[in-house]
Amino acid sequence: MSYSLVKRWRGTTLFKCVKQFALYDRKQHACHLKSSVLRRLKRLPVVAGDLKMMSTQADKEGIDVAKFPADRIRNFCIIAHIDHGKSTLADRLLEMTGAIAKTAKNMQVLDKLQVERERGITIKAQTASLLYNHQGQQHLLNLIDTPGHVDFSYEVSRSLSACQGVLLIVDANQGIQAQTVANFYLAFEAQLAVIPVINKIDLKNADPERVEAQIEKVFDIPAGECIRISAKLGTNVEKVLQAVVERIPPPVASVHDPFKALVFDSNFDHYRGVVANIAVFGGRVQKGDKIVSSHLGKTYEVNELGLLRPDEHPTQKLFAGQVGYLIAGMKDVKEAQIGDTLYNQQQPVEALPGFKPAKAMVFAGMYPMDQSEYPGLRSAIDKLTLNDSSVTVQRDSSLALGAGWRLGFLGLLHMEVFNQRLEQEYNASVIVTAPTVPYKAILSSAKLIKEHGAEEITIVNPAQFPDRSVVSEYLEPMVLGTILAPDAYTGKVMALCLNRRGTQRNMVYIDEQRVMMKYLFPLNEIVVDFYDQLKSMSSGYASFDYEDAGYQAADLIKMDFLLNGRPVEELTTIVHKTRAYSAGKAMCERLRDSIPRQMFEIAIQAAIGSKVLARETIKAYRKNVLAKCYGGDITRKMKLLKRQAEGKKKMRRIGNVDVPKDAFINVLKMNK
């Protein structure tokens, strides 16, 4: 059949009728197949039950939060040293109150981030609302599971603002640790009720009597108030819930007051915008209300609100004393500030005190792998800092690495976790420079004082460190460190502290076997590898915690690193005068191993001003110019070698040392 006949046939009415009939027949066949499959599925008991559950789930009414007055609400959080069983206890509490089903897979249910699962530690504080019947009355318990590492103490202090009491968990085997002491004093300063809980009593080496004596001596809490539990096996966990209701006071709030809520946490959702976690301190809020942010003064309409059980459970209203989440169409990450106060548009109120801003202890430069990735990385950092408000951000630029940021963190683990979250959650690859601490300088030059507007300046970028000639005094940050270790390791721990320029302030035996030492350290000495060395020399038994202790005068110097006489700004560092040679020598050796060889010799130097402290040399690639000489006079060979040397000298004078980004990354990684 020719092409013209086919074309004519497709234009006829008969062809169109045949085509429509074929389409109709195909649809009928598909519908018949679908209905027959569904009929067969419904005969299976398991699938029929699941289909029924799916159909009723949509019609299921939410929890009636109105039936929980303030006196039947308890807001509490779990605090402890790292790995003392906070998340395990949270899992058991969720199971016992019916928030989650009892299965063997319930491990760290509230640790939702991938980095938390991989490292086995809690990084973000998570909220969950529990329903518990006590003496015939149903209570609403709002639980917040907090991190245990010192680098995430800001998460703990924020969580305490939404609570009236805490569960202080102590390991029955390890006893009181450094972060146990730090977290207790955070709760004590906030005037919260403290319930001591001794966990892991099922362990072979558990000694709850010794731990009770420690708690009584260090915290002045009677041993009779301690609750002995095993969160893993669920032993005595019911007593914890009873103690929460009986010992923790209800929130002081009234539904008759104007609506007032504190934003204590938030995260960004690509489809719904900012999801804010709020603690309601007065009044009520419902879907459709017009609320105002006291920080920006902007008005928003409440689109969704509810409880976290631990997944989002929408409700129509939230009342005074309750903790939940709120979505109000905030599309910009800068609109939801942690510590902000929300109130009703019709009833303005005085803003709540909010939070004291976190003080960054470690600074590092962060740059995209390629400058074309800069806008995407900027968006990722904005969204991640919304979820982690303790990170400070300043724009920065570098000749070698391009445009980037200088970020401030609470510690080295905090920096590593932030970098890991950028890679996992936003698929962003970054270069992170060597961590530094913020120094201060008291200027003596009247011209510089006028330029900076103050006599005392803070330096977070080593490249901007002022020269000694214009400074009367340098100041370095100090921290008060608390070390708890077995008595057998006291000598080794003291030697390590003295080696890190530590000054002993106090030493107390908390029992016959454990000693608590307090040392004043320069922050720069402990920020990188002190904790690792402490754990290594104490067989993992020692624990360490530190707090800010202001600034102290120090003999500091700026060390530059030169490649063939040219300084490399990205490698500039600030060191104490006594550490200058060892730090310079180590860095030169790392650079020698990382920078590729060139056609000319490269001199790597560590210098303080014009004085060179250490040097390493990368030998040049060299052609064998004597290969064509078969015997002959020595003067011929000397002439060829001399000409080659002159060429290398000229090449070194005019040639630039091209340091690839890979070399920078390798050096900075080794420096960590």
Side-chain angles (χ1 to χ4, degrees):
M1 191 182 288
S2 67
Y3 175 72
S4 58
L5 284 172
V6 171
K7 195 173 179 183
R8 201 180 304 163
W9 157 246
R10 289 185 64 181
T12 61
T13 310
L14 181 61
F15 175 78
K16 290 176 183 177
C17 291
V18 170
K19 189 178 177 183
Q20 283 178 1
F21 178 76
L23 283 171
Y24 174 77
D25 186 55
R26 201 179 301 159
K27 283 181 183 177
Q28 286 289 99
H29 179 70
C31 289
H32 176 72
L33 183 65
K34 198 183 291 181
S35 60
S36 64
V37 168
L38 277 171
R39 274 199 306 273
R40 289 182 182 180
L41 277 173
K42 282 180 180 177
R43 288 174 197 157
L44 297 171
V46 176
V47 179
D50 286 349
L51 288 169
K52 187 177 179 182
M53 188 178 70
M54 287 167 64
S55 64
T56 56
Q57 189 68 32
D59 303 324
K60 184 181 174 183
E61 291 184 2
I63 298 167
D64 184 11
V65 291
K67 69 179 184 182
F68 296 105
D71 63 334
R72 281 201 276 139
I73 297 172
R74 301 291 184 271
N75 300 321
F76 69 100
C77 62
I78 305 175
I79 58 173
H81 188 79
I82 190 168
D83 201 31
H84 276 207
K86 294 182 301 300
S87 298
T88 310
L89 177 59
D91 293 344
R92 297 295 85 74
L93 294 176
L94 289 167
E95 285 178 0
M96 292 186 71
T97 55
I100 58 173
K102 287 186 180 181
T103 64
K105 294 180 181 179
N106 285 344
M107 295 177 67
Q108 297 177 300
V109 173
L110 293 179
D111 292 348
K112 298 175 182 176
L113 299 176
Q114 185 183 340
V115 64
E116 291 179 318
R117 296 279 182 177
E118 288 174 359
R119 291 177 178 262
I121 59 173
T122 303
I123 289 164
K124 277 295 296 175
Q126 297 289 349
T127 308
S129 295
L130 318 173
L131 300 177
Y132 177 62
N133 280 305
H134 180 66
Q135 295 179 353
Q137 286 190 323
Q138 197 171 41
H139 290 73
L140 179 64
L141 312 180
N142 295 309
L143 152 72
I144 303 177
D145 183 24
T146 62
H149 198 280
V150 60
D151 283 12
F152 307 104
S153 57
Y154 191 61
E155 288 282 325
V156 180
S157 61
R158 282 211 327 265
S159 302
L160 293 177
S161 67
C163 298
Q164 285 75 47
V166 297
L167 297 178
L168 181 67
I169 314 298
V170 186
D171 191 317
N173 186 24
Q174 296 181 1
I176 289 176
Q177 302 283 297
Q179 197 61 26
T180 315
V181 179
N183 284 339
F184 169 78
Y185 283 113
L186 280 176
F188 185 74
E189 286 169 14
Q191 298 181 342
L192 304 182
V194 178
I195 301 174
V197 178
I198 299 173
N199 190 20
K200 303 187 183 180
I201 59 169
D202 57 305
L203 292 180
K204 183 180 168 184
N205 297 324
D207 190 354
E209 289 83 9
R210 178 175 62 88
V211 177
E212 283 175 356
Q214 288 180 3
I215 290 171
E216 192 161 7
K217 183 174 181 179
V218 179
F219 303 139
D220 199 23
I221 299 173
E225 293 186 13
C226 299
I227 305 170
R228 300 182 186 183
I229 68 160
S230 168
K232 184 180 179 181
L233 303 179
T235 311
N236 290 339
V237 175
E238 182 75 32
K239 289 183 180 178
V240 175
L241 288 169
Q242 291 172 5
V244 166
V245 176
E246 292 167 3
R247 295 198 216 170
I248 294 177
V252 181
S254 173
V255 291
H256 304 296
D257 293 339
F259 168 65
K260 180 164 59 175
L262 176 73
V263 179
F264 67 90
D265 201 359
S266 58
N267 59 78
F268 190 81
D269 186 284
H270 287 285
Y271 302 103
R272 300 180 297 170
V274 175
V275 181
N277 288 10
I278 62 168
V280 184
F281 280 80
R284 69 186 75 189
V285 63
Q286 62 184 10
K287 196 173 176 181
D289 279 0
K290 299 282 186 182
I291 59 169
V292 181
S293 158
S294 64
H295 177 70
L296 294 174
K298 286 189 176 182
T299 304
Y300 306 96
E301 184 180 340
V302 178
N303 299 330
E304 187 184 329
L305 70 158
L307 301 174
L308 294 159
R309 287 186 44 76
D311 297 321
E312 291 174 1
H313 193 103
T315 60
Q316 288 300 313
K317 297 178 182 179
L318 281 179
F319 293 87
Q322 295 174 358
V323 175
Y325 73 95
L326 180 141
I327 302 169
M330 299 177 185
K331 296 299 181 187
D332 190 354
V333 292
K334 293 182 175 64
E335 291 183 53
Q337 295 289 329
I338 289 177
D340 194 5
T341 303
L342 304 177
Y343 60 87
N344 196 294
Q345 188 182 23
Q346 306 298 327
Q347 297 173 303
V349 295
E350 189 179 340
L352 292 161
F355 305 112
K356 188 170 70 174
K359 187 172 183 181
M361 306 291 269
V362 177
F363 287 85
M366 192 170 280
Y367 303 89
M369 283 285 189
D370 189 87
Q371 283 299 302
S372 62
E373 299 170 4
Y374 181 87
L377 183 58
R378 180 179 59 196
S379 173
I381 288 175
D382 285 345
K383 288 170 184 173
L384 200 49
T385 48
L386 169 71
N387 191 234
D388 187 356
S389 62
S390 56
V391 179
T392 60
V393 183
Q394 293 176 343
R395 285 190 180 181
D396 199 7
S397 62
S398 155
L399 291 172
L401 303 174
W405 299 267
R406 184 152 289 270
L407 304 181
F409 303 95
L410 300 182
L412 200 66
L413 177 64
H414 188 201
M415 183 180 90
E416 290 175 5
V417 165
F418 188 88
N419 189 15
Q420 198 172 337
R421 287 187 68 187
L422 273 178
E423 290 178 3
Q424 291 176 350
E425 296 174 30
Y426 299 96
N427 200 25
S429 298
V430 295
I431 301 168
V432 182
T433 64
T436 61
V437 300
Y439 295 97
K440 287 187 177 181
I442 297 172
L443 302 172
S444 58
S445 165
K447 184 181 177 183
L448 280 174
I449 292 171
K450 188 177 179 182
E451 185 182 321
H452 289 93
E455 187 182 1
E456 187 178 278
I457 60 168
T458 303
I459 307 118
V460 295
N461 190 344
Q464 297 166 358
F465 197 71
D467 192 64
R468 182 78 210 187
S469 59
V470 297
V471 171
S472 61
E473 193 176 40
Y474 292 119
L475 304 172
E476 69 176 340
M478 306 296 290
V479 292
L480 185 64
T482 304
I483 301 169
L484 275 91
D487 184 35
Y489 300 102
T490 306
K492 290 182 179 179
V493 171
M494 290 175 78
L496 175 65
C497 295
L498 288 171
N499 188 41
R500 296 303 179 99
R501 297 193 288 133
T503 309
Q504 188 174 330
R505 287 297 176 89
N506 195 10
M507 184 171 171
V508 179
Y509 279 84
I510 60 173
D511 62 20
E512 294 80 11
Q513 299 172 353
R514 294 183 69 80
V515 63
M516 181 166 69
M517 292 173 276
K518 287 189 181 289
Y519 274 84
L520 190 68
F521 291 104
L523 178 59
N524 193 35
E525 295 288 342
I526 64 156
V527 79
V528 177
D529 60 347
F530 177 81
Y531 188 67
D532 293 339
Q533 288 198 17
L534 179 69
K535 281 285 186 186
S536 177
M537 67 172 44
S538 66
S539 304
Y541 287 112
S543 62
F544 178 65
D545 175 58
Y546 61 85
E547 58 185 86
D548 183 31
Y551 281 77
Q552 190 171 291
D555 195 0
L556 303 172
I557 46 177
K558 180 173 86 167
M559 185 181 289
D560 292 307
F561 291 91
L562 315 176
L563 296 180
N564 280 353
R566 297 180 184 179
V568 182
E569 186 182 299
E570 292 73 29
L571 300 176
T572 302
T573 185
I574 300 167
V575 293
H576 194 266
K577 195 172 183 179
T578 57
R579 306 270 174 163
Y581 174 73
S582 57
K585 182 74 176 170
M587 191 64 160
C588 286
E589 288 173 356
R590 283 197 292 270
L591 283 167
R592 180 197 63 198
D593 296 337
S594 299
I595 296 174
R597 289 174 70 186
Q598 309 283 334
M599 292 300 293
F600 50 91
E601 190 179 88
I602 301 172
I604 304 166
Q605 296 168 310
I608 297 169
S610 58
K611 183 182 178 183
V612 176
L613 291 184
R615 170 178 169 139
E616 293 289 335
T617 304
I618 300 175
K619 296 293 183 183
Y621 284 120
R622 186 163 172 260
K623 181 183 176 183
N624 186 7
V625 292
L626 304 181
K628 60 185 177 182
C629 296
Y630 297 98
D633 192 15
I634 187 67
T635 55
R636 173 67 179 158
K637 295 180 181 179
M638 294 301 293
K639 182 181 176 183
L640 290 170
L641 290 170
K642 187 179 178 183
R643 190 183 298 168
Q644 185 187 39
E646 285 173 358
K648 295 284 183 187
K649 193 175 179 182
K650 183 181 178 183
M651 202 183 293
R652 184 180 174 187
R653 190 170 64 248
I654 63 172
N656 290 320
V657 181
D658 181 28
V659 184
K661 283 187 181 179
D662 291 345
F664 272 114
I665 296 165
N666 291 336
V667 168
L668 296 173
K669 277 182 180 174
M670 285 189 278
N671 197 29
K672 290 177 192 175

